[in-house]
Amino acid sequence: MIEQAKQIGITLLQGKRNVTDADLRDAIDNILKIFPHLIGESESLYKYFESQFSVFSDNYKILVDDETYIPWLKNKKSEIKWSFWNRYLMYLQKKIAPSTLNKLDNLTDDILDRIIDPKTPGPWDRRGMVVGQVQSGKTGNYIGLINKAADAGFKLIIVLAGMHDSLRSQTQIRVDEGFLGFNTQTAMNFSNAGNRIGVGQFNKNLPAHALTTSRLNGDFKAQAAQSSGVNIQGTDPIILVVKKNASILKNLVSWLAVRGDKTPDGKIIIRDLPFLLIDDEADNASINVDPKKVSTINGSIRALLSLFEQSAYVGYTATPFANIFIPLLNEDQTKGLNLKVKDFEFSVGQDLFPRDFIINIPAPSNYIGPSKVFGLPAASSSEESQEPLPIVVKISDYTAFVPDKHKKGDPLPTILPESLKYAVKCFILSCAARRVRKQANVHNSMLIHVSRYIDWQDRISSLVDAELKFYHRQIEFNQGSIIAELKKIWIEEFEPKTHQVINQTHTYTDPEIKPISWVKVKAELFNATSKIEVRAVHGDKNVAGLTYHNISPIDYFTSEQQGSHLSVIAVGGDKLSRGLTLEGLTTSYYLRASKMYDTLMQMGRWFGYRPGYVDLCRLFTSNELVEWFKHITIASEEMRSEFDYMFLLNETPRKYGLKVRTHPDVLKITAANKFRHKQIMMLSYSGELEQTYNFKIDQRIFSNNFHATAELIKALGTPSGPVNNSVKNQEYVWQGTNNSHLITQYLHAYSIGREVVDVHKMADYINAQVGKNNLTNWTVVLINNTIAKKEEEKFLFTIDGKQTEIGLTDRSITVSRPNETVSSYYINKTMIISPNHEMIDLSDSEIKEALALTKLDWGKSENKGEPVLPSSARIKCKRKATNGLLMLYPLNYAPIHKRYLEQSTTGKREHVSERVRYSDVPIFGFAISFPEIVNDEKIEYAVNNQFIEEFDYPDELDAEDDGNE
């Protein structure tokens, strides 16, 4: 009844432009007229509607090639009958927040507008890409595009959905629900469709057909397509959801080719059939990884597009780095690139670079992404660091269980580590707690992802299943210690974390989250554990040789159709790591130590939406992986920030691609085989701000960097003093000429992890620019904390031969758990600089000009609060190409630790700030601000075996399944 009341309220409020407090109260009054017995739930309903209508997201931004973009949709919108889109809209109104729905409407309009009017006569070919966040709703987005494309006149739509049957099937189910309106397991042809599902419940008479089904084996088959009775040259739209598999794609190309015409030059072309290709997870498998020829999957996709006279390609991904590496080839370079299928040869044409448009979509405020999980801010965040949600549990007892870089034939584990047992108990508690919150008819999932090998997954599944049965028997017969252990975990772990999430309104707000007593959780333990099963999800269909036989795929849809919901512990590897959604995921145990940014980020199945239960979620992982996720987030946000800046400059996708390809962080971002068409990378630091934000706690390193800094200051001589009136408090400034050699000497002497800053490559870059008379003159600043008062907050440093008192810079470390050990000094917000420091070397007039440009940018981006300082990008634009800026930061020997105290009674998460001494000398960090250098001298970076091994790249990440998983 409460769910029905919520839906009525959403309907009542949907038409309001700006929902006010009075609107919310009026809606609740009307609901209570229908359901008077819900009077006691009025405040709960108010908070629910408030949260639904307060979900917001920043505006998306678009890079477009103006030479190919011809706006058409606004002029034709009133002529198009939006039948498919309108029923999808009605379907979504019960599922997502109104503001998010409005953004989806606008976004799909903008994508469709940038493709082309499908009724445009003659040949055309459009290529674009949409960049979202992991698990943020990309599938719902492109299904929206599919509905509008069908209304506009696209007749054939193909969705490329991952490399595994499970993901393809899951995507087909979403297409069935969101576009077709019928269950393809029953029929492929609209006229013969049986039960209506999803959008089909709103309008049952919209004809659309499928040539694939949602069955696990429902991928494209020529014989099934032929017998379906569906005519691709008919008037109704047709859709296929196809796996990225070489043989299936080849069969599809050859089946379609029979329906084409032969041209005088021997090519086959399908005319007058507007074709839309949606490439889900476009950075996976679609990229050409063969340095000598076109790889089969990439070639098949390109051949598919070349087959149609009128085609549009839209890639969707959260990690677009590999796509940006796709080379743009000219016509001569594509000649002779053919794909042979049976007796035919197909031209593969141009590669899949999104040359016409790239759209960057920010996630809505209710999305649980890296910034909320790990406490890292987005690039546009305020100065205050975002406190992470208390859901990460760092573990260290796994090395004997699953060693790092273990091999397929290594001895298998015999016992579970205590951390995994604890994680299973947390999952049991989360299932029980969700039942208390009236979330009984929902799916619950736990992810265990520690090995890519089937033998290991098989053994771990058996061990976990035995442990789960041991707990279940104790709960059923009220024996043993499990209930007492669960009570202890609930009171010590879950109760305080729930209170903390409730109080963390600046990070996340969800009125559905309320404290739950142990008594209520205990009452649901038996019902919760009775439903839980362990499944090995590795794709091996043959149980021979396996010790654990529950290998059936996780099919949430079929369970719902049968009136039940799954509670499953999924043990797997790569098949669980990309694209596949684990419904109701609360507990993750993850140890895969890949250091590729795109791979690791895609493995984060715990990102997404967790309405009413984020406080029950837990991520168990290693300290190393937490550090790498932080590096990933920083690099990803830098890429997005670069995108936003290119948007302000009205640049094209091609220019953005060139910029990203030279970005220093790209080295670690994606698999080496995705850019092996060039064994040499070209690097640029033009317009970059590089800063040290993470320091390994090591006294030898701290001493080395202190002495390297002292030698640099000694060589600089007498300070020249402040350069402008905006940063007058920094007096230890050296403005030099022809002094680049001092900077490069310092970088070579300085020691820090390569994943933070590659000091040697930076020095090489500076030397390369000096050869073209750039970066010859450097300003060096020794940052003095002028508000430091206490003696322990200062130190004596020799400047120009004199002992000078310098105030130490304070940057804090947030420690999520009271007893957490710290292996590295990770600066909050990853920013060592203060907002005004980057303009220390500019003149007053240059600062004024930079601020004026910043205000113009602010006007274009529709942000709140007019800027009072120039942006980093505009500062670097105004700095002369000859000038570089090095800022030296003497950090306190004893950084401030914010240790949070968990109060289970009040729920308030109070913290104590204490200093922990790590060094005998100040911990020196630095930041370098490089100017924008037009046509800078880029430096070579060889992608060699050492590079590949250092960042743990597999040999062929996106090759076809090698049978290991």
Side-chain angles (χ1 to χ4, degrees):
M1 200 67 71
I2 190 75
E3 291 303 318
Q4 193 176 353
K6 288 177 180 177
Q7 291 306 320
I8 291 172
I10 291 289
T11 303
L12 291 171
L13 294 165
Q14 196 84 43
K16 305 284 185 182
R17 182 182 293 272
N18 295 303
V19 177
T20 65
D21 181 77
D23 293 329
L24 296 178
R25 297 296 180 190
D26 287 345
I28 292 168
D29 288 343
N30 287 320
I31 290 169
L32 294 178
K33 290 175 184 176
I34 304 170
F35 305 110
H37 59 284
L38 292 179
I39 185 70
E41 297 289 338
S42 58
E43 194 59 30
S44 175
L45 286 168
Y46 177 87
K47 289 183 177 179
Y48 172 76
F49 295 135
E50 183 184 41
S51 70
Q52 286 294 301
F53 285 86
S54 64
V55 171
F56 63 90
S57 60
D58 293 333
N59 291 326
Y60 55 85
K61 295 178 176 66
I62 306 175
L63 297 184
V64 67
D65 187 340
D66 289 329
E67 292 184 11
T68 61
Y69 172 44
I70 303 172
W72 65 274
L73 187 57
K74 283 185 180 179
N75 292 334
K76 285 201 170 184
K77 199 163 188 180
S78 61
E79 302 172 18
I80 298 171
K81 189 176 180 181
W82 299 101
S83 305
F84 284 102
W85 167 252
N86 285 335
R87 76 170 184 177
Y88 185 56
L89 201 62
M90 289 186 284
Y91 170 66
L92 288 182
Q93 282 176 346
K94 293 186 175 183
K95 292 176 171 288
I96 63 177
S99 64
T100 306
L101 196 56
N102 292 337
K103 284 271 173 69
L104 175 63
D105 190 5
N106 294 334
L107 175 62
T108 46
D109 270 2
D110 278 331
I111 299 172
L112 187 61
D113 191 41
R114 279 157 181 78
I115 295 174
I116 199 169
D117 179 358
K119 291 185 168 54
T120 303
W124 43 262
D125 172 23
R126 292 289 184 272
R127 308 284 173 96
M129 183 169 68
V130 180
V131 181
Q133 302 272 2
V134 176
Q135 298 280 91
S136 66
K138 293 187 298 298
T139 306
N141 185 297
Y142 67 67
I143 291 176
L145 176 62
I146 288 168
N147 279 281
K148 284 188 176 178
D151 284 326
F154 279 94
K155 294 303 179 187
L156 180 66
I157 301 166
I158 295 177
V159 180
L160 301 177
M163 298 183 68
H164 305 299
D165 288 326
S166 53
L167 179 54
R168 192 214 65 84
S169 172
Q170 188 181 78
T171 304
Q172 178 81 58
I173 289 166
R174 295 286 302 278
V175 169
D176 291 358
E177 292 179 318
F179 174 62
L180 291 168
F182 60 86
N183 185 355
T184 51
Q185 291 192 19
T186 304
M188 294 162 69
N189 188 309
F190 171 82
S191 60
N192 298 323
N195 59 312
R196 303 294 180 183
I197 62 172
V199 293
Q201 297 170 344
F202 295 89
N203 185 340
K204 299 181 180 181
N205 300 310
L206 273 180
H209 310 288
L211 293 179
T212 54
T213 80
S214 62
R215 297 179 186 275
L216 271 179
N217 62 348
D219 210 334
F220 176 79
K221 297 180 182 67
Q223 186 175 356
Q226 194 67 34
S227 60
S228 69
V230 175
N231 177 13
I232 68 166
Q233 295 288 358
T235 57
D236 301 335
I238 300 164
I239 194 163
L240 298 84
V241 181
V242 179
K243 185 167 72 252
K244 294 184 193 180
N245 173 278
S247 59
I248 287 173
L249 288 172
K250 281 184 174 181
N251 288 337
L252 176 59
V253 170
S254 61
W255 185 81
L256 286 168
V258 174
R259 286 143 184 83
D261 302 323
K262 265 201 170 181
T263 62
D265 60 359
K267 290 183 180 179
I268 300 172
I269 197 83
I270 299 176
R271 306 181 193 277
D272 301 319
L273 184 63
F275 167 48
L276 173 62
L277 181 63
I278 303 285
D279 188 357
D280 194 6
E281 306 294 348
D283 63 308
N284 186 35
S286 302
I287 308 300
N288 186 29
V289 298
D290 194 323
K292 297 179 181 177
K293 60 186 176 74
V294 177
S295 54
T296 309
I297 292 177
N298 172 266
S300 298
I301 296 170
R302 291 159 66 180
L304 190 60
L305 290 165
S306 298
L307 189 58
F308 288 84
E309 183 184 39
Q310 301 171 330
S311 67
Y313 168 91
V314 183
Y316 279 77
T317 181
T319 47
F321 312 112
N323 305 79
I324 300 302
F325 279 104
I326 295 171
L328 272 165
L329 307 175
N330 58 42
E331 191 173 337
D332 289 338
Q333 290 172 307
T334 62
K335 283 180 180 177
L337 293 178
N338 297 324
L339 176 75
K340 188 166 185 179
V341 182
K342 297 180 180 176
D343 297 327
F344 299 98
E345 277 202 17
F346 299 93
S347 169
V348 300
Q350 184 58 263
D351 209 339
L352 303 177
F353 181 82
R355 62 175 183 256
D356 295 303
F357 65 89
I358 303 174
I359 300 181
N360 184 31
I361 315 172
S365 57
N366 60 340
Y367 171 71
I368 308 297
S371 63
K372 288 185 174 72
V373 174
F374 299 107
L376 291 173
S380 60
S381 67
S382 64
E383 289 185 30
E384 290 299 315
S385 293
Q386 187 177 76
E387 184 185 344
L389 290 166
I391 63 177
V392 177
V393 182
K394 295 178 184 177
I395 56 177
S396 59
D397 66 340
Y398 61 86
T399 51
F401 169 58
V402 179
D404 289 337
K405 298 184 180 180
H406 62 278
K407 305 298 182 185
K408 185 177 180 180
D410 288 349
L412 299 174
T414 56
I415 59 172
L416 298 178
E418 290 302 315
S419 59
L420 184 47
K421 294 178 185 178
Y422 186 87
V424 172
K425 293 169 189 173
C426 286
F427 180 59
I428 291 170
L429 287 167
S430 70
C431 292
R434 292 191 74 192
R435 295 179 68 87
V436 176
R437 287 188 180 152
K438 310 302 181 188
Q439 297 177 3
N441 295 320
V442 296
H443 301 293
N444 294 282
S445 302
M446 176 179 178
L447 164 68
I448 300 176
H449 184 170
V450 298
S451 175
R452 71 185 302 260
Y453 302 116
I454 289 177
D455 290 348
W456 284 75
Q457 295 164 23
D458 178 59
R459 171 62 62 85
I460 292 165
S461 298
S462 294
L463 294 173
V464 172
D465 183 63
E467 194 72 18
L468 178 65
K469 285 182 168 58
F470 176 60
Y471 297 156
H472 182 242
R473 285 193 297 270
Q474 291 184 64
I475 292 169
E476 182 177 9
F477 299 109
N478 196 19
Q479 295 176 342
S481 61
I482 187 62
I483 293 179
E485 292 170 11
L486 292 172
K487 179 180 180 180
K488 180 178 170 62
I489 295 171
W490 182 259
I491 292 173
E492 295 182 358
E493 171 69 22
F494 281 87
E495 284 188 356
K497 295 300 193 310
T498 295
H499 284 298
Q500 182 182 334
V501 171
I502 291 170
N503 288 316
Q504 265 181 279
T505 53
H506 59 289
T507 299
Y508 184 74
T509 302
D510 186 345
E512 300 288 289
I513 296 175
K514 298 175 182 177
I516 306 172
S517 69
W518 164 248
V519 174
K520 291 182 178 179
V521 173
K522 182 182 178 183
E524 293 289 353
L525 286 176
F526 178 68
N527 290 330
T529 52
S530 296
K531 290 184 65 176
I532 301 174
E533 59 175 314
V534 179
R535 293 199 194 182
V537 186
H538 46 59
D540 197 328
K541 299 177 177 64
N542 185 3
V543 298
L546 299 177
T547 59
Y548 192 72
H549 293 173
N550 190 350
I551 59 173
S552 56
I554 302 174
D555 190 343
Y556 299 105
F557 175 73
T558 301
S559 295
E560 290 176 19
Q561 295 296 104
Q562 295 170 351
S564 63
H565 292 80
L566 296 176
S567 288
V568 61
I569 298 176
V571 182
D574 291 345
K575 284 184 173 60
L576 291 176
S577 70
R578 182 183 271 272
L580 190 69
T581 299
L582 293 172
E583 301 284 352
L585 179 65
T586 57
T587 312
S588 302
Y589 192 92
Y590 176 80
L591 295 175
R592 284 287 298 278
S594 169
K595 292 177 182 175
M596 286 175 293
Y597 285 15
D598 52 3
T599 303
L600 196 53
M601 188 66 86
Q602 287 287 356
M603 288 176 177
R605 298 293 94 196
W606 47 84
F607 300 135
Y609 301 95
R610 302 289 182 265
Y613 65 97
V614 71
D615 61 316
L616 306 175
C617 296
R618 295 294 181 271
L619 165 60
F620 293 82
T621 192
S622 67
N623 184 69
E624 181 190 34
L625 278 169
V626 169
E627 293 295 314
W628 273 98
F629 267 108
K630 289 179 179 180
H631 292 310
I632 290 167
T633 305
I634 294 163
S636 298
E637 290 304 335
E638 285 179 355
M639 295 296 103
R640 292 176 189 275
S641 177
E642 194 70 64
F643 185 100
D644 291 347
Y645 183 53
M646 299 293 269
F647 165 78
L648 292 172
L649 299 180
N650 295 316
E651 292 289 9
T652 67
R654 296 168 189 251
K655 290 285 184 69
Y656 177 62
L658 291 171
K659 179 71 172 171
V660 172
R661 289 176 213 184
T662 62
H663 194 284
D665 271 332
V666 161
L667 288 173
K668 305 175 285 279
I669 275 173
T670 193
N673 61 357
K674 291 179 182 175
F675 45 78
R676 276 188 194 156
H677 57 272
K678 279 192 175 182
Q679 289 291 328
I680 301 295
M681 294 282 295
M682 303 305 294
L683 263 70
S684 169
Y685 287 91
S686 171
E688 299 292 344
L689 171 64
E690 292 291 311
Q691 52 188 321
T692 54
Y693 57 85
N694 190 15
F695 308 88
K696 181 181 178 182
I697 293 174
D698 187 323
Q699 178 60 47
R700 290 173 300 174
I701 294 175
F702 295 152
S703 296
N704 172 80
N705 293 344
F706 177 82
H707 292 301
T709 307
E711 287 299 312
L712 173 61
I713 298 297
K714 181 181 178 181
L716 289 169
T718 306
S720 51
V723 179
N724 55 60
N725 290 310
S726 298
V727 201
K728 291 188 292 186
N729 64 327
Q730 294 300 330
E731 56 184 304
Y732 301 113
V733 179
W734 291 263
Q735 274 200 305
T737 57
N738 297 318
N739 61 346
S740 63
H741 62 287
L742 295 178
I743 310 303
T744 55
Q745 285 172 9
Y746 177 66
L747 290 174
H748 282 303
Y750 191 92
S751 179
I752 195 163
R754 182 178 166 193
E755 70 280 0
V756 181
V757 174
D758 192 332
V759 287
H760 299 293
K761 280 297 157 193
M762 201 182 300
D764 291 346
Y765 177 79
I766 293 169
N767 285 331
Q769 307 324 302
V770 171
K772 297 183 72 174
N773 293 318
N774 290 322
L775 294 183
T776 53
N777 307 328
W778 283 79
T779 298
V780 180
V781 187
L782 176 62
I783 300 297
N784 178 25
N785 181 8
T786 56
I787 63 171
K789 303 297 182 186
K790 299 177 183 177
E791 281 304 312
E792 61 268 25
E793 295 174 353
K794 304 175 183 178
F795 79 107
L796 288 175
F797 207 69
T798 303
I799 299 176
D800 196 21
K802 301 171 187 175
Q803 289 283 290
T804 307
E805 197 171 59
I806 299 293
L808 295 172
T809 298
D810 262 325
R811 296 289 183 262
S812 60
I813 302 173
T814 297
V815 182
S816 301
R817 293 169 176 267
N819 299 319
E820 183 179 330
T821 57
V822 177
S823 59
S824 64
Y825 180 176
Y826 203 106
I827 295 173
N828 281 348
K829 205 176 183 292
T830 69
M831 295 289 284
I832 196 171
I833 73 168
S834 294
N836 64 340
H837 285 176
E838 205 174 355
M839 60 185 187
I840 283 176
D841 64 328
L842 297 189
S843 68
D844 288 317
S845 61
E846 287 172 330
I847 292 172
K848 185 178 179 180
E849 291 168 9
L851 180 57
L853 290 170
T854 302
K855 288 180 177 179
L856 285 175
D857 296 341
W858 166 80
K860 292 179 185 177
S861 60
E862 301 177 7
N863 290 325
K864 295 178 181 178
E866 188 177 33
V868 295
L869 291 175
S871 67
S872 175
R874 290 306 186 181
I875 287 171
K876 292 189 281 277
C877 274
K878 297 309 298 180
R879 184 180 293 122
K880 295 181 179 66
T882 53
N883 299 349
L885 172 64
L886 169 63
M887 295 161 277
L888 305 168
Y889 289 84
L891 302 173
N892 202 303
Y893 335 78
I896 297 171
H897 283 51
K898 286 185 178 178
R899 294 189 182 273
Y900 286 90
L901 305 175
E902 292 156 0
Q903 307 285 332
S904 59
T905 52
T906 65
K908 291 184 179 178
R909 198 178 185 222
E910 299 173 359
H911 72 266
V912 293
S913 293
E914 59 181 0
R915 293 193 181 274
V916 178
R917 185 152 185 149
Y918 290 124
S919 177
D920 298 330
V921 294
I923 301 168
F924 261 97
F926 71 80
I928 292 184
S929 180
F930 289 94
E932 287 278 1
I933 306 174
V934 179
N935 298 322
D936 64 332
E937 184 73 17
K938 296 167 181 64
I939 60 168
E940 292 186 352
Y941 196 108
V943 181
N944 55 24
N945 289 332
Q946 180 185 356
F947 171 82
I948 293 168
E949 289 170 8
E950 180 174 349
F951 293 103
D952 199 23
Y953 292 100
D955 289 335
E956 291 293 336
L957 177 73
D958 290 331
E960 292 179 56
D961 195 355
D962 63 3
N964 285 331
E965 210 232 336

